[in-house]
Amino acid sequence: MAVPKKRTSLSKKRIRKNIWKKKGYWAARKAFSLAKSLSTGNSKSFLYDKKTKKKKEPSFGFGRI
């Protein structure tokens, strides 16, 4: 017979929500850091022509498919 689940406590709910928010914060911070490094020309993870500031596709050991 189906039994209803117990209600999640507010503290657990807050903890899970904060973890979810923290993940978003770090993803945004990382994206901003990458954008900043691209704009200043200090990027080591993206290959692009510094003369024209056009971003090339990142190379992963294989050509376009």
Side-chain angles (χ1 to χ4, degrees), residues 21-51:
K21 283 181 182 180
K22 199 182 284 186
K23 282 182 183 179
Y25 167 77
W26 284 111
R29 186 170 173 180
K30 192 173 181 180
F32 184 74
S33 175
L34 179 61
K36 194 173 164 185
S37 69
L38 282 172
S39 68
T40 59
N42 294 331
S43 176
K44 292 181 177 33
S45 61
F46 277 81
L47 302 173
Y48 62 98
D49 190 10
K50 291 185 179 184
K51 293 175 188 171

